[in-house]
Amino acid sequence: MKIKILLIMIFLLSILPVYKTYGEEDTGFFDVDSPLLIEKLNRDHGISNLSVSAIVQDKYGIIWFGTQDGLNRYDGKEIIVYKNEPYQQGDLQHNLIQTMYYDVDEHVLWIGTYNGLSRFDIKTQNFSGYLPKSDQQEGISDSVVIAIEKDLDGFVWVGTANGLDRINTETGKVLNYELLSNTIRSLYVTQDNQLLIGTINGLYIYDRDEDSFVRQSLGLDSEVIMSIDQFQKNEYILGIWGQGVI
């Protein structure tokens, strides 16, 4: 008898509708009568590479995918691919894309690759690039660009595998900075224009008055700051490699 009752309960649970509360504004989308629609994009749809490392959406609703083989533009119907072509000027800096930042005010994509930084003016469809610095020319600190942010003063900050850079978007001038932990993993500009820098060895805060960086110790065995976010004023959340969330 107990087994029969258990089987009946399992059957009833399997046919009853399941609801999950997401808040009053979201319940309609996840309603039983409105199943979640999943659309998978692959090579059959024209995507240039199945390894996607960055996704942004611009102010007109266009979605941009940074892949390991080029930049992809998706308007909901078709995909257009932008790639670096050998011996051709004015292209994407490199086809291996690591990260992207969308500047909504300028309608510009900043694209971090494995061989420098690209700026893509979406309106004019023009690329311009920033190569690693050398003895002959100024440039960004390293070829591998990992993180990009823009502050409220209009400067674009670029975190690389070997240093931090600040770009004056009006003049194009690049200013290089060296930190004790030179491999930058994450950048974040707060609501009050404070720049937080996550490195492989701790969190740094930029002091604008002194044009210097102050390390903030978290007291952990490992302080590889992979991600930084802010959900309310004066409260930040840090994703720490191997240490969880702070």
Side-chain angles (χ1 to χ4, degrees):
M1 177 63 78
K2 291 183 178 179
I3 295 177
K4 288 183 178 180
I5 294 173
L6 179 60
L7 290 173
I8 291 171
M9 291 178 65
I10 293 173
F11 173 74
L12 290 174
L13 287 172
S14 68
I15 63 173
L16 287 173
V18 178
Y19 293 90
K20 187 172 182 180
T21 301
Y22 288 87
E24 295 182 358
E25 295 181 355
D26 300 325
T27 53
F29 184 75
F30 290 96
D31 191 272
V32 175
D33 296 329
S34 302
L36 183 66
L37 176 64
I38 297 177
E39 179 183 6
K40 184 177 181 181
L41 300 176
N42 53 34
R43 292 192 185 278
D44 293 336
H45 300 87
I47 196 166
S48 61
N49 192 276
L50 298 183
S51 296
V52 178
S53 50
I55 303 173
V56 298
Q57 185 176 37
D58 68 29
K59 61 184 178 182
Y60 298 110
I62 303 298
I63 301 176
W64 299 85
F65 303 114
T67 78
Q68 296 297 282
D69 190 27
L71 174 67
N72 292 233
R73 177 192 185 275
Y74 181 54
D75 63 2
K77 295 182 180 179
E78 64 175 346
I79 292 175
I80 298 175
V81 178
Y82 302 82
K83 296 178 71 172
N84 175 275
E85 300 294 341
Y87 311 112
Q88 187 167 325
Q89 299 294 324
D91 277 348
L92 182 66
Q93 203 66 41
H94 195 275
N95 288 329
L96 285 168
I97 295 174
Q98 170 85 355
T99 188
M100 294 194 300
Y101 175 84
Y102 174 60
D103 185 340
V104 64
D105 296 325
E106 299 294 330
H107 195 42
V108 162
L109 277 177
W110 291 88
I111 306 163
T113 78
Y114 281 72
N115 189 38
L117 176 72
S118 282
R119 179 187 183 275
F120 181 52
D121 189 318
I122 300 174
K123 184 177 180 180
T124 64
Q125 297 284 287
N126 288 327
F127 284 97
S128 55
Y130 295 83
L131 286 169
K133 63 184 178 181
S134 65
D135 294 336
Q136 291 75 35
Q137 63 181 16
E138 69 172 23
I140 59 176
S141 297
D142 192 80
S143 59
V144 180
V145 177
I146 302 172
I148 308 168
E149 271 281 86
K150 183 181 178 182
D151 65 22
L152 301 183
D153 297 324
F155 293 111
V156 171
W157 293 86
V158 182
T160 76
N162 190 34
L164 177 68
D165 306 304
R166 188 182 74 182
I167 298 176
N168 185 320
T169 55
E170 293 183 357
T171 65
K173 184 175 178 58
V174 181
L175 187 62
N176 306 123
Y177 292 95
E178 288 189 8
L179 285 72
L180 292 177
S181 304
N182 238 6
T183 301
I184 312 299
R185 292 302 318 178
S186 53
L187 296 171
Y188 189 80
V189 175
T190 69
Q191 296 171 0
D192 55 357
N193 204 30
Q194 196 168 46
L195 176 65
L196 307 183
I197 305 104
T199 75
I200 62 170
N201 189 30
L203 175 69
Y204 290 79
I205 297 180
Y206 177 55
D207 186 329
R208 293 182 184 276
D209 295 332
E210 299 294 331
D211 193 27
S212 62
F213 301 88
V214 180
R215 187 178 185 276
Q216 305 293 312
S217 177
L218 303 174
L220 302 174
D221 293 334
S222 171
E223 295 192 2
V224 181
I225 315 296
M226 298 296 291
S227 61
I228 308 172
D229 215 324
Q230 180 180 22
F231 299 113
Q232 53 186 321
K233 190 174 182 179
N234 296 326
E235 187 171 307
Y236 309 99
I237 185 166
L238 310 177
I240 318 294
W241 189 264
Q243 295 287 314
V245 176
I246 301 296

